[in-house]
PDB file of all heavy atoms in Angstrom:
ATOM      1  N   PRO A 441     194.503 120.404 -13.876  1.00 80.00           N
ATOM      2  CA  PRO A 441     193.564 119.436 -14.439  1.00 80.00           C
ATOM      3  C   PRO A 441     194.279 118.192 -15.063  1.00 80.00           C
ATOM      4  O   PRO A 441     193.761 117.132 -14.958  1.00 80.00           O
ATOM      5  CB  PRO A 441     192.769 120.286 -15.470  1.00 80.00           C
ATOM      6  CG  PRO A 441     192.940 121.708 -15.047  1.00 80.00           C
ATOM      7  CD  PRO A 441     194.301 121.750 -14.361  1.00 80.00           C
ATOM      8  N   VAL A 442     195.400 118.412 -15.679  1.00 82.00           N
ATOM      9  CA  VAL A 442     196.138 117.314 -16.313  1.00 82.00           C
ATOM     10  C   VAL A 442     196.749 116.436 -15.231  1.00 82.00           C
ATOM     11  O   VAL A 442     196.643 115.222 -15.372  1.00 82.00           O
ATOM     12  CB  VAL A 442     197.210 117.933 -17.266  1.00 82.00           C
ATOM     13  CG1 VAL A 442     198.135 116.801 -17.813  1.00 82.00           C
ATOM     14  CG2 VAL A 442     196.600 118.700 -18.437  1.00 82.00           C
ATOM     15  N   VAL A 443     197.306 117.002 -14.262  1.00 82.00           N
ATOM     16  CA  VAL A 443     197.939 116.236 -13.193  1.00 82.00           C
ATOM     17  C   VAL A 443     196.855 115.464 -12.354  1.00 82.00           C
ATOM     18  O   VAL A 443     197.116 114.297 -11.993  1.00 82.00           O
ATOM     19  CB  VAL A 443     198.764 117.213 -12.264  1.00 82.00           C
ATOM     20  CG1 VAL A 443     199.278 116.460 -11.070  1.00 82.00           C
ATOM     21  CG2 VAL A 443     199.951 117.771 -13.089  1.00 82.00           C
ATOM     22  N   ALA A 444     195.691 116.030 -12.182  1.00 81.00           N
ATOM     23  CA  ALA A 444     194.620 115.355 -11.467  1.00 81.00           C
ATOM     24  C   ALA A 444     194.235 114.073 -12.237  1.00 81.00           C
ATOM     25  O   ALA A 444     193.908 113.068 -11.610  1.00 81.00           O
ATOM     26  CB  ALA A 444     193.432 116.265 -11.298  1.00 81.00           C
ATOM     27  N   ARG A 445     194.275 114.081 -13.549  1.00 80.00           N
ATOM     28  CA  ARG A 445     193.945 112.894 -14.326  1.00 80.00           C
ATOM     29  C   ARG A 445     194.879 111.806 -13.961  1.00 80.00           C
ATOM     30  O   ARG A 445     194.550 110.581 -14.117  1.00 80.00           O
ATOM     31  CB  ARG A 445     193.964 113.147 -15.829  1.00 80.00           C
ATOM     32  CG  ARG A 445     192.772 113.964 -16.301  1.00 80.00           C
ATOM     33  CD  ARG A 445     192.642 113.899 -17.807  1.00 80.00           C
ATOM     34  NE  ARG A 445     193.692 114.586 -18.526  1.00 80.00           N
ATOM     35  CZ  ARG A 445     193.640 115.788 -19.090  1.00 80.00           C
ATOM     36  NH1 ARG A 445     192.532 116.441 -19.029  1.00 80.00           N
ATOM     37  NH2 ARG A 445     194.701 116.241 -19.692  1.00 80.00           N
ATOM     38  N   ASP A 446     196.077 112.138 -13.546  1.00 81.00           N
ATOM     39  CA  ASP A 446     197.057 111.071 -13.187  1.00 81.00           C
ATOM     40  C   ASP A 446     197.098 110.821 -11.711  1.00 81.00           C
ATOM     41  O   ASP A 446     198.019 110.151 -11.153  1.00 81.00           O
ATOM     42  CB  ASP A 446     198.483 111.506 -13.651  1.00 81.00           C
ATOM     43  CG  ASP A 446     198.647 111.343 -15.141  1.00 81.00           C
ATOM     44  OD1 ASP A 446     197.957 110.579 -15.789  1.00 81.00           O
ATOM     45  OD2 ASP A 446     199.553 112.035 -15.651  1.00 81.00           O
ATOM     46  N   GLY A 447     196.108 111.348 -10.946  1.00 82.00           N
ATOM     47  CA  GLY A 447     196.005 111.011  -9.520  1.00 82.00           C
ATOM     48  C   GLY A 447     196.826 111.874  -8.604  1.00 82.00           C
ATOM     49  O   GLY A 447     197.110 111.501  -7.465  1.00 82.00           O
ATOM     50  N   GLY A 448     197.221 113.091  -9.028  1.00 79.00           N
ATOM     51  CA  GLY A 448     198.041 113.928  -8.252  1.00 79.00           C
ATOM     52  C   GLY A 448     197.532 115.383  -8.222  1.00 79.00           C
ATOM     53  O   GLY A 448     196.462 115.735  -8.724  1.00 79.00           O
ATOM     54  N   ASP A 449     198.412 116.232  -7.662  1.00 83.00           N
ATOM     55  CA  ASP A 449     198.072 117.652  -7.639  1.00 83.00           C
ATOM     56  C   ASP A 449     199.405 118.426  -7.539  1.00 83.00           C
ATOM     57  O   ASP A 449     200.391 117.922  -6.993  1.00 83.00           O
ATOM     58  CB  ASP A 449     197.231 117.960  -6.415  1.00 83.00           C
ATOM     59  CG  ASP A 449     196.554 119.363  -6.541  1.00 83.00           C
ATOM     60  OD1 ASP A 449     196.588 119.995  -7.609  1.00 83.00           O
ATOM     61  OD2 ASP A 449     195.954 119.803  -5.495  1.00 83.00           O
ATOM     62  N   ILE A 450     199.433 119.614  -8.090  1.00 85.00           N
ATOM     63  CA  ILE A 450     200.587 120.477  -8.020  1.00 85.00           C
ATOM     64  C   ILE A 450     200.058 121.846  -7.548  1.00 85.00           C
ATOM     65  O   ILE A 450     199.093 122.371  -8.119  1.00 85.00           O
ATOM     66  CB  ILE A 450     201.308 120.589  -9.323  1.00 85.00           C
ATOM     67  CG1 ILE A 450     201.966 119.221  -9.709  1.00 85.00           C
ATOM     68  CG2 ILE A 450     202.371 121.697  -9.263  1.00 85.00           C
ATOM     69  CD1 ILE A 450     202.707 119.205 -10.986  1.00 85.00           C
ATOM     70  N   THR A 451     200.659 122.376  -6.486  1.00 84.00           N
ATOM     71  CA  THR A 451     200.243 123.691  -6.038  1.00 84.00           C
ATOM     72  C   THR A 451     201.443 124.648  -5.948  1.00 84.00           C
ATOM     73  O   THR A 451     202.541 124.240  -5.751  1.00 84.00           O
ATOM     74  CB  THR A 451     199.598 123.622  -4.641  1.00 84.00           C
ATOM     75  OG1 THR A 451     200.434 122.952  -3.749  1.00 84.00           O
ATOM     76  CG2 THR A 451     198.251 122.890  -4.711  1.00 84.00           C
ATOM     77  N   TYR A 452     201.140 125.947  -6.108  1.00 88.00           N
ATOM     78  CA  TYR A 452     202.112 126.967  -6.030  1.00 88.00           C
ATOM     79  C   TYR A 452     202.598 127.048  -4.549  1.00 88.00           C
ATOM     80  O   TYR A 452     201.820 127.038  -3.617  1.00 88.00           O
ATOM     81  CB  TYR A 452     201.501 128.293  -6.441  1.00 88.00           C
ATOM     82  CG  TYR A 452     202.347 129.502  -6.200  1.00 88.00           C
ATOM     83  CD1 TYR A 452     203.311 129.852  -7.136  1.00 88.00           C
ATOM     84  CD2 TYR A 452     202.198 130.263  -5.101  1.00 88.00           C
ATOM     85  CE1 TYR A 452     204.089 131.016  -6.945  1.00 88.00           C
ATOM     86  CE2 TYR A 452     202.963 131.400  -4.824  1.00 88.00           C
ATOM     87  CZ  TYR A 452     203.923 131.737  -5.771  1.00 88.00           C
ATOM     88  OH  TYR A 452     204.705 132.816  -5.526  1.00 88.00           O
ATOM     89  N   HIS A 453     203.969 127.284  -4.434  1.00 89.00           N
ATOM     90  CA  HIS A 453     204.516 127.507  -3.146  1.00 89.00           C
ATOM     91  C   HIS A 453     205.171 128.867  -3.009  1.00 89.00           C
ATOM     92  O   HIS A 453     204.935 129.605  -2.077  1.00 89.00           O
ATOM     93  CB  HIS A 453     205.543 126.367  -2.821  1.00 89.00           C
ATOM     94  CG  HIS A 453     206.197 126.568  -1.454  1.00 89.00           C
ATOM     95  ND1 HIS A 453     205.529 126.296  -0.292  1.00 89.00           N
ATOM     96  CD2 HIS A 453     207.430 126.959  -1.109  1.00 89.00           C
ATOM     97  CE1 HIS A 453     206.338 126.560   0.736  1.00 89.00           C
ATOM     98  NE2 HIS A 453     207.516 126.918   0.273  1.00 89.00           N
ATOM     99  N   ASP A 454     205.975 129.233  -4.004  1.00 90.00           N
ATOM    100  CA  ASP A 454     206.741 130.484  -3.961  1.00 90.00           C
ATOM    101  C   ASP A 454     207.314 130.907  -5.313  1.00 90.00           C
ATOM    102  O   ASP A 454     207.427 129.967  -6.222  1.00 90.00           O
ATOM    103  CB  ASP A 454     207.852 130.347  -2.953  1.00 90.00           C
ATOM    104  CG  ASP A 454     208.339 131.761  -2.458  1.00 90.00           C
ATOM    105  OD1 ASP A 454     207.733 132.776  -2.740  1.00 90.00           O
ATOM    106  OD2 ASP A 454     209.325 131.735  -1.631  1.00 90.00           O
TER     107      ASP A 454
END
Side-chain angles (χ1 to χ4, degrees):
V442 174
V443 172
R445 284 196 295 256
D446 287 337
D449 195 11
I450 294 180
T451 54
Y452 171 85
H453 180 72
D454 200 6

